Amino acid sequence: MRVGITPLLGTLSWLRAHCASPQFGRNVILCACVIPQRGKSMDAFTFFNPTTLEFGAGKEPLIGVRVAGYGLKKVLLCYGSERIKRDGLFETVTASLAEQGVAWVELGGIVSNPVISKVREGIGLVQAHQVDAVLSVGGGSVLDSVKAIAAGAVYAGDVWDLFSGKARITSALPVFAILTLAATGSEMNPGAVVTNEETKEKFFIMSPALFPKVSIVSPVLMRSISREYLIYSASDVIAHLIEVYFTAPSYPKLQSRIVESLIATVIETTEALLADPADDAARAQFAWAATLALNGLTSAGAGGFSYPNHAIEHALSALYNVPHGAGLSVVVPAWMKWFHSRNLAQFERFARTLFGVQTAEQGIAALEDWFARIGTPTRLSHLGIPETDLPAIVENARGNMAAFGLAGLYTPEVIFRVLANAV
Ligand SMILES: NC(=O)c1ccc[n+]([C@@H]2O[C@H](COP(=O)([O-])OP(=O)(O)OC[C@H]3O[C@@H](n4cnc5c(N)ncnc54)[C@H](O)[C@@H]3O)[C@@H](O)[C@H]2O)c1
């Protein structure tokens, strides 16, 4: 049975549904979790992705030309730590902007698991300095903040309204990005996730207005990423890929093969980078796999799907500020153990193709073992979260389940059962 399903990233049908959700009047993805129907032909879709991606070593000096090409005169230049000032990237970027006559205002100090108070600060700067575009130099946290600033700056009310469902995004300032960490796919998608540190809610926004105009992905900028963020990124990318792969009601073989190739690439390149962080060939392929995992490619033709692992993980990040990828490597195997009987053939395919084992259970164990082997957490206790906190996590996850359109299947009891697999 397929009920009220709307495809996610990259399809116009998704964009339409997303931008005009009848129940909530907000940016809600209407996904229903369903008993998948296999062996169907590919669903009709429209692939829509307007981001220009500049990929390759040494591309970052292009930023000035790209921004000026849109006739823009002043950007809010956003970043996280002062690292980009120490390693020369800030100098490269500002020189490139200056050469094209583009002025900038700075906003540094954006933290991982970005917060809405910093977004409000950015909106204040945009308005005070009459900035006409927003530029991210950093990982997903900086870029998601930039998207929220871009949408909030042209909205008359408080920006959190756009996350809470009180208002819809209808336009945004142009967004540009220089990516320094590959994981989220935010560089080529229209989503952003931000935490409200007062209410302890980690919610998302999505709108076609938030696709970056241009994203520069220069993998050599990622050489300095810590070992821990490399493994968290691997788990995040794999989580993006398995959500659609396992929950799509009709997933064509072609799409399964694309996902399996991307997961195999992430596994292989992560191991290569752990052995040798200077392996630029591995880093480039890891980065491209991360972009492709959440830019609409893998969801095309899927006939709908859902994101339950993300809905649950956002509760962990909101309550405990754990890195997103670390939370996902805990949630994903726990969810797979709960879900696999609903789509057994695809879980067996996953087990055979990626790990050379036969049963769904063996495949899940193999992925969990791989997470453990690279050192990313696989139990709530590894994140310092006690079992007694489960009711509070379930309560927090409910808001996200509703926003993801999944509250029907993922009742509090079900969320509890999934999390209990991670104790
Ligand atoms: N928009 C989306 O589609 C999407 C998808 C998945 C996750 N997210 C969100 O993105 C956020 C995580 O983003 P992320 O995984 O890119 O990590 P991040 O941006 O939070 O960065 C993680 C850490 O790495 C550091 N860092 C970044 N680049 C570096 C470099 N080149 N060298 C050394 N250190 C570097 C940062 O300063 C930070 O301390 C979470 O909030 C998550 O929920 C968004």
Side-chain angles (χ1 to χ4, degrees):
M1 194 174 67
R2 291 171 47 186
V3 193
I5 294 169
T6 303
L8 186 61
L9 301 171
T11 72
L12 279 181
S13 52
W14 163 73
L15 291 169
R16 259 183 248 119
H18 177 76
C19 296
S21 161
Q23 300 112 302
F24 298 100
R26 57 167 293 191
N27 303 302
V28 170
I29 300 169
L30 300 176
C31 314
C33 204
V34 294
I35 309 299
Q37 298 172 334
R38 297 284 146 188
K40 298 182 72 186
S41 61
M42 197 165 205
D43 262 52
F45 64 88
T46 304
F47 185 87
F48 174 69
N49 194 312
T51 298
T52 298
L53 197 83
E54 291 284 4
F55 188 96
K59 289 245 180 178
E60 53 279 13
L62 277 178
I63 192 63
V65 175
R66 291 306 204 178
V67 172
Y70 281 84
L72 302 163
K73 297 281 178 227
K74 196 190 274 186
V75 298
L76 181 70
L77 195 174
C78 300
Y79 56 93
S81 73
E82 295 296 304
R83 186 193 67 256
I84 64 163
K85 293 198 171 166
R86 291 192 299 273
D87 67 15
L89 180 56
F90 183 86
E91 180 60 36
T92 304
V93 169
T94 50
S96 162
L97 293 171
E99 212 168 281
Q100 299 300 319
V102 178
W104 68 90
V105 178
E106 269 180 56
L107 176 68
I110 294 174
V111 294
S112 192
N113 282 333
V115 290
I116 200 70
S117 57
K118 197 71 183 177
V119 169
R120 292 189 183 114
E121 188 183 330
I123 292 168
L125 286 172
V126 167
Q127 288 162 350
H129 296 276
Q130 293 173 347
V131 161
D132 49 16
V134 198
L135 167 62
S136 166
V137 183
S141 293
V142 178
L143 180 48
D144 283 6
S145 302
V146 157
K147 290 178 178 177
I149 292 167
V154 298
Y155 169 64
D158 178 56
V159 62
W160 189 251
D161 294 351
L162 305 173
F163 287 84
S164 68
K166 199 171 159 194
R168 261 193 311 126
I169 297 170
T170 50
S171 62
L173 294 180
V175 169
F176 295 83
I178 296 177
L179 197 71
T180 63
L181 189 155
T184 64
S186 190
E187 66 277 10
M188 205 174 185
N189 76 41
V193 197
V194 173
T195 299
N196 183 325
E197 62 269 49
E198 282 170 18
T199 61
K200 297 267 185 208
E201 292 166 310
K202 184 172 186 177
F203 282 176
F204 66 87
I205 48 173
M206 281 201 186
S207 164
L210 298 182
F211 277 109
K213 296 282 182 240
V214 179
S215 285
I216 297 179
V217 180
S218 171
V220 294
L221 296 178
M222 301 166 188
R223 281 179 185 157
S224 48
I225 285 162
S226 66
R227 185 183 175 91
E228 61 181 357
Y229 269 100
L230 170 66
I231 60 181
Y232 300 157
S233 303
S235 123
D236 190 17
V237 178
I238 289 174
H240 293 156
L241 291 163
I242 62 98
E243 298 263 37
V244 181
Y245 180 89
F246 287 131
T247 65
S250 58
Y251 207 45
K253 257 193 198 160
L254 168 62
Q255 295 303 86
S256 290
R257 289 182 178 131
I258 292 172
V259 165
E260 288 150 7
S261 167
L262 290 170
I263 294 176
T265 301
V266 169
I267 290 175
E268 195 177 287
T269 55
T270 301
E271 290 174 0
L273 288 167
L274 287 172
D276 176 13
D279 186 340
D280 288 337
R283 204 170 284 285
Q285 289 183 76
F286 182 103
W288 185 219
T291 301
L292 293 175
L294 201 61
N295 75 341
L297 172 70
T298 63
S299 51
F305 45 82
S306 59
Y307 273 70
N309 293 280
H310 279 72
I312 297 174
E313 195 295 315
H314 287 173
L316 299 182
S317 289
L319 291 170
Y320 307 98
N321 198 23
V322 298
H324 181 56
L328 283 168
S329 57
V330 171
V331 172
V332 165
W335 173 83
M336 289 169 85
K337 287 171 196 169
W338 177 79
F339 188 80
H340 70 276
S341 61
R342 289 159 184 82
N343 193 3
L344 199 55
Q346 188 75 343
F347 274 79
E348 288 169 351
R349 184 190 160 97
F350 174 87
R352 275 194 316 275
T353 313
L354 280 157
F355 294 105
V357 292
Q358 293 308 310
T359 68
E361 289 84 354
Q362 287 170 331
I364 297 166
L367 178 63
E368 192 171 12
D369 285 351
W370 186 76
F371 281 153
R373 219 167 41 248
I374 62 170
T376 186
T378 53
R379 289 285 177 277
L380 288 167
S381 58
H382 300 166
L383 299 171
I385 301 173
E387 191 177 350
T388 48
D389 282 12
L390 254 56
I393 302 169
V394 170
E395 189 52 35
N396 190 290
R398 288 178 69 187
N400 262 295
M401 282 301 177
F404 277 92
L406 292 172
L409 178 63
Y410 289 88
T411 61
E413 293 71 32
V414 168
I415 303 171
F416 189 94
R417 271 161 52 200
V418 170
L419 286 167
N421 287 338
V423 168

